[in-house]
Amino acid sequence: MTEKRKSIHGSWSGRLAFILAATGSAVGLGNIWKFPYIAGENGGGAFVLVYLLCIAVIGIPIMMAEVLLGRRGRQSPINTMRTLAQEAGANPLWRWLGGAGVLAGFLILSYYSVIAGWALAYVYRSAAGTFTGATAEGIASIFRQLTGDPERLLAWHTLFMVMTMIVVARGVRSGIEKAVRFLVPALFVLLIMLDGYALAGGAFDQGLRFLFTPDFSKITANGVLIAMGHAFFTLSLGMGAIMVYGSYLPERTSIAKTSIIISLLDTLVAMLAGMAIFPIVFVNGLEPGAGPGLIFQTLPIAFGHMPGGVLFGTLFFVLLVFAAWTSAISLIEPAVAWLVENRRVSRVYAAVYAGVATWGFGLLTILSFNIWAEFKPLSFISIFKDYTVFDLLDYLTANIMLPLGGLLIAVFSVWIMKRDDSLQELDMGDGPGYRLWYALVRYVTPVAVLIVFLNVTGLLDFVGLFGLAEE
Ligand code: PFF
């Protein structure tokens, strides 16, 4: 038996703290902002079904793999992969899997923070009563004013990045642990209230039908890739965030049980958000495929007309900011942990270096919503013809980098690492549970990810790929 390693960054106080921190990482803008709008853009039910399937057969097993690698390596993902590759007698290049994760986290956070900035701006607008009595058109114009103004976006993005750097600089244990204990339950309560509003407001069944009646004629191969990519994104998988959180996990905690709990909570939040948003969309004659502005153009209508809307609206956006915050921290943590380990800088400097670089890169996203709104760099590729720089960044990270990262994590944990090692780390005995996990990660995940990739690229025949897209 190998001697147990210790993390130099400390550890969670226990199982609940890990569940809350990992749930804090998983539950974020992905659930409340992104899931509804991509489900809307990709036709609803069939997309949701593919997404749920991906969570169950790919997401949960990969989450277990990431936690087990993290807990075994007990370092930042780059060094964890290096150590575990050494231990397994594998190629040292595996550490670049950790490196790719750091890059993915950097790219994701650069745009994530801009969207979190919108949520911050909406806290302020709600509290000021801006939405009270406003029409759908009025609210759409408030949204356009915000996103059309790069300076305002920059200010909110800056504030959010500073908030993120502060928590990361102080170390995650006391800050995040305490915050999530209250915030995660509060978010659930508010979402359920919003569902109550949607239920009473009419069109609830139309919303449910849209979300849960699969119509496979509405989904494309690219839609399947987006659903799979989102399963990775929403569970924070494929880039080392859950791996680094796993590296702070106490020895005896069950990895399987905690991974299932985290995934269920995450899925529940997404479903509650979808069920609150689509009825409001339909009652107000809005477009489900409205894109990234969807929740910012729908929920304020509800807040503007419900009793106590100023209070609940403000609370909701505050919670959305918190949900984004606890995810942002996990996006930057792999880079910060690595800087501390390898560059011998303090956490404070590490957080500032990584944070400032991410902040600067965020300008690309800010400009995508205004000055560069018509700039479509890959318009010669048909599926990307309408994609702005922000859309491309999101597509590249969520739909390509995370699934590829997840695929390699899967390959490493069952094809490279010794079976005895994963058996020991998962600590659930060599029974049906372990065997199911092993088979899913060994065959199902890699094959599923590859099939989805090949399907999408197969659809893009040479002419479609490089020919001029139709206007
Ligand atoms: N899971 C987060 C969300 O759904 O908003 C986003 C995210 C966090 C993605 C951390 C990836 C990650 F490593």
Side-chain angles (χ1 to χ4, degrees):
M1 205 160 112
T2 39
E3 202 185 306
K4 291 288 174 198
R5 296 182 189 91
K6 263 192 131 112
S7 169
I8 61 164
H9 309 281
S11 76
W12 305 113
S13 60
R15 174 179 124 113
L16 181 65
F18 170 71
I19 293 181
L20 288 171
T23 306
S25 166
V27 173
L29 295 173
N31 307 63
I32 300 168
W33 159 74
K34 192 173 179 194
F35 168 71
Y37 94 75
I38 57 176
E41 285 180 337
N42 291 284
F47 175 89
V48 176
L49 192 70
V50 176
Y51 154 80
L52 291 174
L53 202 72
C54 289
I55 295 273
V57 299
I58 304 179
I60 296 177
I62 295 288
M63 183 177 286
M64 289 170 60
E66 267 202 44
V67 179
L68 102 81
L69 297 183
R71 185 165 75 180
R72 201 165 179 84
R74 291 255 184 244
Q75 300 154 77
S76 68
I78 300 182
N79 290 325
T80 283
M81 289 313 300
R82 202 200 50 207
T83 308
L84 296 182
Q86 217 167 33
E87 200 172 89
N91 194 316
L93 286 179
W94 275 104
R95 72 175 186 283
W96 285 107
L97 176 53
V102 167
L103 179 66
F106 167 78
L107 295 176
I108 294 174
L109 186 55
S110 79
Y111 70 78
Y112 202 84
S113 164
V114 175
I115 313 292
W118 299 357
L120 275 171
Y122 269 53
V123 170
Y124 174 71
R125 284 171 182 56
S126 279
T130 317
F131 303 135
T132 310
T135 58
E137 183 38 47
I139 284 170
S141 108
I142 294 173
F143 179 70
R144 278 195 302 272
Q145 263 174 28
L146 171 68
T147 52
D149 181 348
E151 282 170 26
R152 264 192 243 181
L153 292 185
L154 182 64
W156 292 114
H157 163 58
T158 307
L159 177 59
F160 186 78
M161 277 311 302
V162 169
M163 287 163 50
T164 304
M165 285 188 265
I166 290 176
V167 178
V168 178
R170 304 179 90 189
V172 283
R173 186 165 178 174
S174 53
I176 305 193
E177 259 196 55
K178 273 197 203 124
V180 287
R181 233 174 254 273
F182 161 72
L183 292 169
V184 176
L187 185 67
F188 272 94
V189 172
L190 261 153
L191 272 177
I192 291 169
M193 274 185 43
L194 273 178
D195 280 301
Y197 176 84
L199 182 63
F204 195 71
D205 48 337
Q206 200 183 344
L208 282 190
R209 243 179 291 130
F210 180 77
L211 268 177
F212 298 115
T213 313
D215 172 356
F216 284 97
S217 66
K218 288 201 183 137
I219 192 161
T220 57
N222 192 40
V224 173
L225 175 62
I226 295 175
M228 181 179 78
H230 189 63
F232 283 95
F233 184 89
T234 192
L235 294 177
S236 307
L237 298 176
M239 59 140 282
I242 291 294
M243 196 186 291
V244 81
Y245 276 12
S247 75
Y248 312 145
L249 184 66
E251 219 39 68
R252 300 237 38 99
T253 313
S254 156
I255 293 178
K257 274 192 214 137
T258 43
S259 300
I260 292 172
I261 296 173
I262 295 159
S263 306
L264 287 179
L265 288 175
D266 184 79
T267 307
L268 187 61
V269 173
M271 296 302 122
L272 287 174
M275 287 179 343
I277 286 157
F278 286 110
I280 301 175
V281 169
F282 293 123
V283 160
N284 291 283
L286 302 169
E287 188 38 60
L294 186 67
I295 66 157
F296 294 95
Q297 291 169 319
T298 49
L299 294 183
I301 303 177
F303 296 129
H305 293 92
M306 64 167 74
V310 170
L311 175 69
F312 293 131
T314 309
L315 258 175
F316 176 81
F317 286 109
V318 167
L319 288 171
L320 186 59
V321 168
F322 278 114
W325 200 5
T326 50
S327 300
I329 290 159
S330 72
L331 280 162
I332 206 171
E333 180 65 18
V336 170
W338 179 78
L339 284 169
V340 172
E341 287 165 11
N342 284 47
R343 291 286 174 264
R344 306 212 174 174
V345 290
S346 68
R347 269 194 90 85
V348 176
Y349 279 106
V352 171
Y353 293 152
V356 169
T358 314
W359 172 83
F361 211 74
L363 290 177
L364 298 185
T365 294
I366 289 183
L367 296 175
S368 302
F369 289 99
N370 34 69
I371 296 169
W372 289 354
E374 293 312 315
F375 175 43
K376 314 279 163 66
L378 297 185
S379 57
F380 54 91
I381 299 177
S382 51
I383 53 169
F384 298 136
K385 77 177 171 18
D386 296 324
Y387 279 42
T388 59
V389 175
F390 154 74
D391 294 322
L392 289 171
L393 263 177
D394 175 35
Y395 192 93
L396 170 73
T397 50
N399 303 335
I400 299 175
M401 295 181 83
L402 298 185
L404 267 185
L407 170 73
L408 291 171
I409 286 167
V411 167
F412 186 87
S413 54
V414 289
W415 291 93
I416 307 287
M417 197 172 184
K418 287 195 207 82
R419 189 174 184 278
D420 278 350
D421 290 349
S422 60
L423 188 62
Q424 181 199 8
E425 202 62 50
L426 286 179
D427 195 20
M428 58 204 287
D430 197 352
Y434 176 79
R435 286 171 189 216
L436 176 65
W437 172 81
Y438 197 80
L440 286 174
V441 176
R442 196 168 167 96
Y443 305 109
V444 178
T445 305
V447 171
V449 173
L450 284 177
I451 289 180
V452 177
F453 273 140
L454 291 181
N455 244 316
V456 174
T457 43
L459 264 195
L460 301 169
D461 57 17
F462 196 71
V463 181
L465 188 57
F466 295 107
L468 280 179
E470 302 136 51
E471 289 302 303

